[in-house]
Amino acid sequence: MNHLARWQAMWAQLGVRDPGAGLLHELMQRYGEPHRSYHTMQHLDECLTQFDAVRSIAARPAEIELALWFHDAIYEVRSHDNEQKSADWVRSVVLNADGAPDVADRVHALVMATCHNASPTTQDAQVLVDVDLSILGAAPARFDEYEFQVRAEYAWVPEALYRSKRAGILQAFLDRDSIYNTDWFQSRFEANACHNLTRSIANLTDS
């Protein structure tokens, strides 16, 4: 993936002055931080690739893409405000690049939607959240790698506690009426996601 070309095209589509390759480099350094195992450039690239497949159903695709770039920009595994800090950062970037306040606010809201603590209400938020959660419906081998990567990020958590907490998180997704918000993702990812989650929960709770 040519990240620079994609970055520049996104800002042009937004109609906002490109803040430059320096910011792109900083973002990529963030995603390459040594304490990350899942929230890396691999995850970002997967999200961007997945988004390309659903771009046509988005109302403001460039805003979703910008939110994807920043949705895990700040990631400290022991922190509970990563999304807030990431959302605040991207809003300041848009405003400093002379972007319209409503664009900055919408992108801020999109990043906050990746907290996954409430059902997204706008079409673009639904698309973004589904893209972020597409890993749940990945092929079994990739899903297993994802689970391994998440465990690595929480290596400091005792095994029994991790298993209990992780099983609860995965069960919460499984307990939803639907894991995904859009018809596109439901038809293509829902069945695989249910299978992956059920299998992982069984492994986590197997004594």
Side-chain angles (χ1 to χ4, degrees), residues 114-182:
T114 64
C115 292
H116 303 300
N117 55 11
S119 297
T121 57
T122 69
Q123 174 73 4
D124 282 356
Q126 290 173 352
V127 170
L128 174 68
V129 167
D130 283 0
V131 166
D132 190 31
L133 295 180
S134 61
I135 187 66
L136 301 181
R142 174 63 186 115
F143 179 83
D144 290 346
E145 180 187 33
Y146 153 69
E147 284 290 88
F148 179 82
Q149 290 169 334
V150 173
R151 181 64 180 113
E153 290 185 343
Y154 286 88
W156 49 277
V157 179
E159 183 69 12
L161 178 59
Y162 178 82
R163 283 174 170 266
S164 174
K165 294 292 187 181
R166 183 64 180 167
I169 290 170
L170 299 184
Q171 187 65 51
F173 285 117
L174 202 55
D175 288 344
R176 296 179 176 183
D177 292 338
S178 176
I179 296 167
Y180 295 101
N181 300 280
T182 62

Side-chain angles (χ1 to χ4, degrees), residues 12-25:
Q13 292 161 14
L14 272 172
V16 176
R17 174 173 53 83
D18 182 351
L23 177 60
L24 171 61
H25 180 67

